[in-house]
Amino acid sequence: MIRTTTIVTLCLAALPAWAADFNLTYASPYTESHPYGAADAEWIARIEEQSGGRVDITPYWGRSLITSREGVDELAAGVADMSYIAPIYARSGYDMNRLVPGMFYGYTDPEKVLDVYMDLVEAYPVFDEELSGVHVVGYNVGTPMHILLRDKPVETLDDLQGLRIRSAVDFIGPLAAFGAEGVTMPMTETYPSLEKGVVDGVIAPYEALKSLSFAEVVGYYSELPHSRGAYPSRAVNGDVWANLPEDIQKIFDDNTEWLSLRTLELAQEAEAAGRAYGEEKGVQFNSLAPEVVAEYSKAFAPAIQSVAEDLDAMGKPGSEVLSAIRAAHSQ
């Protein structure tokens, strides 16, 4: 009996002091070393600590469970309990969540973008209604992108004439308005295209100088802002959320702003590191006059107005939200 009691005691001592009430999985297309993944890792530890160990979260990094383009659908289908989502990259659907970020053209302060966007989400239930299969617990906001060039800087809008610039679809119209050709291609193909002179430049953030090694194939970084809006970026599967008790739900909701701001903070650190790397490699940086930036921003208006009207036609408040975003920009 003594021997049996001793063995049982030793076995119990080898077990954890507590067992979590809720064992959840988290999936991300990013690695833990990426700014988004690093923010996630801190957030996971924070949730576990604030829940007093009742929540245990197992992360799956680097697209092992989920993709970026179809993340919302995959999460709603139960691929993971929680995940990184990016409805802005979806091929269709999620119309307000996917299209409203483009309305933030001309903004240069990402924290202001995030503040305005989160106010809109609170004021317009349609944002959450579109994501009915998931519950959002975090938002992303992109830092502004600029123009990286091989051979010469852009100092006036006339300097865009005749250039071939690797660009997202949203930026092709404004580039064309000033005589440049926007070229779409995977970012992974952009380095060799710059190296060979297939394109003259690329629209990208500071961090791409380091993370994508663009500092090796460009000589100039012209700070003509291409703003990026905010979007829902982390969520919990709807059924999983419904089965969590209110006190655990509150912990997640109370950390939504923290996760959103921490993600931005780490992204800005990566931006600073990218610029420092560019300076080290001899890239020359130049700012453009405020009136030049303002004139360039106007070229975004026609296409975005059309987007707002398309949303209106769907019965969604496209023009109303666009008006609010532009009013906040002018303040």
Side-chain angles (χ1 to χ4, degrees):
M1 185 182 298
I2 293 173
R3 185 170 64 248
T4 302
T5 302
T6 302
I7 292 171
V8 170
T9 301
L10 290 171
C11 289
L12 289 173
L15 293 174
W18 47 262
D21 297 328
F22 305 97
N23 294 286
L24 306 175
T25 57
Y26 176 77
S28 173
Y30 295 98
T31 64
E32 192 175 356
S33 62
H34 187 280
Y36 297 168
D40 287 339
E42 291 183 22
W43 170 70
I44 287 170
R46 188 178 172 93
I47 295 295
E48 291 176 338
E49 179 182 359
Q50 291 182 8
S51 72
R54 294 174 63 201
V55 175
D56 179 73
I57 301 170
T58 301
Y60 292 85
W61 307 110
R63 298 173 62 91
S64 58
L65 283 184
I66 205 161
T67 68
S68 58
R69 184 178 293 277
E70 307 299 337
V72 178
D73 293 338
E74 291 168 347
L75 177 61
V79 168
D81 298 319
M82 307 182 298
S83 77
Y84 184 95
I85 60 171
I88 56 170
Y89 298 133
R91 292 182 176 87
S92 61
Y94 316 117
D95 302 293
M96 291 292 289
N97 287 282
R98 181 167 52 86
L99 299 173
V100 164
M103 297 179 180
F104 284 87
Y105 63 87
Y107 279 71
T108 56
D109 181 356
E111 192 164 343
K112 182 175 181 179
V113 171
L114 185 60
D115 286 343
V116 171
Y117 185 82
M118 293 182 74
D119 286 345
L120 290 170
V121 169
E122 185 175 351
Y124 294 93
V126 64
F127 286 97
D128 286 331
E129 290 168 359
E130 287 185 350
L131 303 172
S132 58
V134 305
H135 178 83
V136 176
V137 291
Y139 296 85
N140 269 24
V141 58
T143 51
M145 297 189 290
H146 304 96
I147 301 184
L148 292 68
L149 296 141
R150 277 170 44 92
D151 301 320
K152 62 180 181 179
V154 168
E155 296 177 338
T156 71
L157 296 178
D158 289 340
D159 294 333
L160 289 170
Q161 186 73 38
L163 294 179
R164 301 186 78 237
I165 307 292
R166 188 278 176 194
S167 166
V169 173
D170 292 347
F171 305 142
I172 289 177
L175 287 172
F178 298 100
E181 179 188 358
V183 179
T184 59
M185 67 174 64
M187 200 61 101
T188 52
E189 297 177 10
T190 304
Y191 181 103
S193 295
L194 284 165
E195 188 176 35
K196 298 172 183 176
V198 175
V199 294
D200 301 298
V202 56
I203 296 174
Y206 293 108
E207 61 91 8
L209 289 166
K210 182 176 183 179
S211 64
L212 296 175
S213 301
F214 286 164
E216 298 174 2
V217 288
V218 302
Y220 303 90
Y221 191 107
S222 295
E223 294 166 333
L224 182 62
H226 292 70
S227 302
R228 294 188 285 175
Y231 59 92
S233 62
R234 280 81 161 192
V236 182
N237 170 278
D239 291 336
V240 172
W241 181 258
N243 287 320
L244 293 175
E246 289 186 5
D247 61 326
I248 298 297
Q249 290 180 345
K250 186 175 187 300
I251 292 171
F252 279 102
D253 283 341
D254 287 350
N255 278 283
T256 295
E257 183 176 4
W258 181 90
L259 175 58
S260 305
L261 290 174
R262 183 58 177 154
T263 301
L264 173 59
E265 182 179 352
L266 290 175
Q268 289 175 319
E269 289 178 7
E271 289 285 274
R275 174 160 185 150
Y277 182 77
E279 291 172 346
E280 178 186 325
K281 292 294 185 180
V283 175
Q284 297 183 34
F285 296 81
N286 70 291
S287 299
L288 281 77
E291 59 270 20
V292 175
V293 173
E295 184 180 356
Y296 185 71
S297 294
K298 291 178 183 177
F300 288 80
I304 296 301
Q305 183 61 50
S306 178
V307 166
E309 292 169 359
D310 288 343
L311 289 168
D312 293 342
M314 299 176 194
K316 299 182 179 184
S319 293
E320 192 174 334
V321 168
L322 174 59
S323 178
I325 291 171
R326 302 321 305 166
H329 178 253
S330 64
Q331 292 175 357

